[in-house]
Amino acid sequence: MLTQEQLQQVLEPLFPGLMGVRLTEVTPERVLGELKVRPDLCTTGGIMHGGAYMAFADTLGAVGTVVNMERGKRTTTTDSSTKFIAGAKMDTVVTGECIALHRGRTTQVWQTSIRNADGKLCAVVTQTQLILD
């Protein structure tokens, strides 16, 4: 299994690194991360853009899948559903907790709860990851 630090290094040159996704805990059952709400991740009114929520959650679920799949396999998201509940203000930090709902050989399902700096639930994202040879 790759370490949290190794997984972070994999993310750095990719889109999650550009967004500023930081992994804070990685286990086979749960992935925690954080993301600073910068102006370039916001929509009008200085609130985090819905696409940023989705991309943050997608990253955490993909990391969880990578930790659980056999060496030499790949993964891709096949389905994602987002429920937006509250906003996160610019220049704050959101946290994501991604938990495994199903960890099979060919598919995995992960659910991410994203909270703002006040601890208020902002979004819930459920995604299915397909595991490929």
Side-chain angles (χ1 to χ4, degrees), residues 1 11 39 50 55 58 70 85 97 111 120 124:
M1 181 173 105
L11 296 180
D58 187 66
E70 294 176 22
I85 299 162
E97 177 184 32
Q111 187 169 69
K120 186 171 184 179
V124 177

Side-chain angles (χ1 to χ4, degrees), residues 27-29 64 68 100-110 131:
T27 71
E29 299 82 22
N68 281 280
L101 301 180
H102 166 73
R103 292 181 294 151
R105 283 184 310 106
T106 58
T107 62
Q108 294 190 19
V109 179
W110 292 82
I131 299 173

Side-chain angles (χ1 to χ4, degrees), residues 87-117:
K89 295 178 184 176
M90 184 171 30
D91 295 324
T92 64
V93 174
V94 293
T95 57
E97 177 184 32
C98 185
I99 59 167
L101 301 180
H102 166 73
R103 292 181 294 151
R105 283 184 310 106
T106 58
T107 62
Q108 294 190 19
V109 179
W110 292 82
Q111 187 169 69
T112 304
S113 298
I114 301 173
R115 296 185 181 277
N116 65 21

Side-chain angles (χ1 to χ4, degrees), residues 2-125:
L2 294 172
T3 67
Q4 177 181 320
E5 293 76 21
Q6 289 169 322
L7 289 162
Q8 186 69 54
Q9 287 177 351
V10 169
L11 296 180
E12 286 306 316
L14 306 174
F15 182 66
L18 179 67
M19 284 183 60
V21 173
R22 294 284 170 249
L23 301 174
T24 58
E25 180 184 316
V26 178
T27 71
E29 299 82 22
R30 183 172 87 151
V31 178
L32 301 178
E34 61 183 27
L35 177 66
K36 181 167 186 198
V37 184
R38 304 182 320 244
D40 56 335
L41 298 178
C42 288
T43 188
T44 58
I47 301 297
M48 188 164 153
H49 189 282
Y53 285 107
M54 295 167 73
F56 178 40
D58 187 66
T59 299
L60 299 182
V63 167
T65 301
V66 166
V67 168
N68 281 280
M69 65 188 192
E70 294 176 22
R71 207 171 181 86
K73 301 275 186 171
R74 299 176 295 127
T75 187
T76 188
T77 306
T78 61
D79 183 270
S80 182
S81 172
T82 304
K83 304 298 183 222
F84 298 106
I85 299 162
K89 295 178 184 176
M90 184 171 30
D91 295 324
T92 64
V93 174
V94 293
T95 57
E97 177 184 32
C98 185
I99 59 167
L101 301 180
H102 166 73
R103 292 181 294 151
R105 283 184 310 106
T106 58
T107 62
Q108 294 190 19
V109 179
W110 292 82
Q111 187 169 69
T112 304
S113 298
I114 301 173
R115 296 185 181 277
N116 65 21
D118 296 327
K120 186 171 184 179
L121 185 63
C122 293
V124 177
V125 181

